[in-house]
Structures are given as structure tokens and as C-alpha cells.
Amino acid sequence: MNRDLQLDQQQLVSAWQERLPALMEDGDSFTVQGDAADRTSLLIHFNAAGHQDYSLDFRCTYVDSREVAVNLIDVEQAGRHIDEHTDAVQGLAQQYARQIHECAQALKDITNP
């Protein structure tokens, strides 16, 4: 962890809320909030479009000003916890993780001034 990393969590949340929609599939929705336990992390909740009613929660932690670590925290279908190891869920998780990394790259001007 880079102790010199200075992030304004609220500014990051706002920037993510502005930038992430451009990277997402039509119909998908999301929420972004700061992780109260770690000022270098964001909690991102995705609702997948379609009839499967999947929602996935990720923790995005800034390792340094350019790199993020993305961890899948939880997967639900129709409000119930499900196995995240199914092909459908793994595909969604990979897609959302890629979008998180793309968004972090797009916002590097904020994290690496």
C-alpha cells in the first residue's frame, strides 16, 4: 500500500458516478459509495440488465495512483445469495471487473495529479 496516496474519497465517488455509465452495457445500473472502513476503497454495486436478476458487489481498492485491486464481494439473484462460480456469474464478474479497471484508468488524472 502506498502511504503517500492522497485520495479524496467523496471526489472519487462523484467522478466514478460520472464516468462509469459510459463504460457499461445498456440497461445495467450501478451505485458507487466510499468504503467507510478504508478511505482508499470504493464499494460498487452492479445490477445486471435482463431476466436473470443478478446483482454483484465489488470492492475497488487503490493500490497506488494508477492501479486498483478489484474483489468480488457478493453475488445475488433476485435478492438471494448464489454461487459465484457459475459460468453466467463469472462472465458478468469479468465484464464488470474490466469496466472497473477501465474507469480507474480513465480517472487517473484525479488520482495521479
Side-chain angles (χ1 to χ4, degrees), residues 84-108:
E84 73 262 15
H85 297 96
T86 65
D87 289 345
V89 172
Q90 284 298 305
L92 278 174
Q94 289 172 2
Q95 170 190 323
Y96 290 139
R98 186 170 48 252
Q99 291 168 345
I100 291 169
H101 282 287
E102 288 174 11
C103 191
Q105 281 297 311
L107 296 176
K108 65 181 183 243

Side-chain angles (χ1 to χ4, degrees), residues 46-97:
F46 289 97
N47 291 307
H51 303 294
Q52 298 299 319
D53 204 15
Y54 288 121
S55 65
L56 291 84
D57 293 312
F58 292 87
R59 176 175 287 114
C60 171
T61 303
Y62 278 84
V63 177
D64 60 31
S65 62
R66 293 192 186 112
E67 184 182 350
V68 293
V70 178
N71 297 312
L72 178 62
I73 301 170
D74 187 36
V75 180
E76 293 184 0
Q77 185 175 21
R80 298 194 0 238
H81 296 282
I82 61 167
D83 179 12
E84 73 262 15
H85 297 96
T86 65
D87 289 345
V89 172
Q90 284 298 305
L92 278 174
Q94 289 172 2
Q95 170 190 323
Y96 290 139

Side-chain angles (χ1 to χ4, degrees), residues 6-61:
Q6 296 296 317
L7 297 176
D8 178 334
Q9 195 178 57
Q10 196 52 51
Q11 180 188 12
L12 265 183
V13 167
S14 296
W16 275 77
Q17 288 170 337
E18 285 178 24
R19 184 70 181 108
L20 194 53
L23 303 170
M24 295 183 59
E25 303 288 325
D26 286 345
D28 287 358
S29 62
F30 73 97
T31 58
V32 178
Q33 64 186 42
D35 183 345
D38 181 359
R39 68 175 184 77
T40 64
S41 293
L42 302 174
L43 301 175
I44 306 170
H45 174 86
F46 289 97
N47 291 307
H51 303 294
Q52 298 299 319
D53 204 15
Y54 288 121
S55 65
L56 291 84
D57 293 312
F58 292 87
R59 176 175 287 114
C60 171
T61 303

